[in-house]
Amino acid sequence: MDVSVVIATHNRHEGCARAVASVLAQQPPAREVIVCDDGSHDETRARFTAWAQEERRLTYLRREESAGGPGPARNMGTTAARGRWLAFLDDDDEWLPGKLAAQAPWADDGRADVLAANARRSSGGVYFPALAAPWMPSRSELLHDNPLILSSV
C-alpha cells in the first residue's frame, strides 16, 4: 500500500512521537511519514529534525508562525506527499498494529476512493460500535452522517 501519512502538530512533541512510532511500526510499511509543525515553541523542531536524519521515511516540515489550527500544516504535508494514498493522523492519536494491513486489500483492489476504519476511544470503547463489517457508504451517506474519523482516513 503506497501511502503517505501526514501528521500536523503544535507543541505536542511527546504525543506526536508516539503517533509517528505507531506509523513506522506498521506492516506493510507506509512510504513516508510527514510531520508538519505549525510553529511549535517546544522541542518539536529539534526532536523531529534529528529523527528525520536517522529515519529515511520521516520528513519534518515547519511553518514558522502558527496558523492557529491544523489545516495549513496538513495542506503543507499534502503538497509534499508522494504516495498514491494519503492518510492523516492527529498528533495525539496512534494507529493500532495492523491498521495498514487491514486497509491494504481495499486500497489495492481499486474499488474505493476513500478508506477509513473504526477507532478506539481513549476510554477503550469504539467510535462506531454498530459497525462490525466493511461498509461502503454512498456519497450522500458520507455527507449526511460523516462516519469518518480523521486519524483513520
Side-chain angles (χ1 to χ4, degrees), residues 4-8 32-36 57-59 61 77 80-82:
S4 296
V5 182
V6 174
I7 304 173
E32 61 188 345
V33 183
I34 306 168
V35 172
C36 304
R57 292 182 294 156
L58 180 60
T59 300
L61 303 175
R82 297 173 292 141

Side-chain angles (χ1 to χ4, degrees), residues 100-153:
L100 287 183
Q103 290 182 311
W106 294 89
D108 295 339
D109 78 4
R111 292 187 298 154
D113 294 322
V114 176
L115 296 170
N118 212 334
R120 292 208 178 278
R121 295 178 181 275
S122 55
S123 64
V126 294
Y127 277 86
F128 304 111
L131 187 62
W135 174 47
M136 295 184 78
S138 67
R139 185 179 195 292
S140 176
E141 288 171 310
L142 283 173
L143 294 174
H144 181 267
D145 299 331
N146 189 24
L148 303 177
I149 301 160
L150 180 72
S151 288
S152 80
V153 176

Side-chain angles (χ1 to χ4, degrees), residues 7-13 16 35-42 44 62-70 73 91-92:
I7 304 173
T9 193
H10 178 75
N11 288 335
R12 293 205 282 205
H13 65 89
C16 190
V35 172
C36 304
D37 183 355
D38 186 38
S40 294
H41 300 293
D42 63 1
T44 300
R62 177 178 170 82
R63 292 177 46 84
E64 289 303 319
E65 291 190 31
S66 175
D91 65 355
D92 61 345

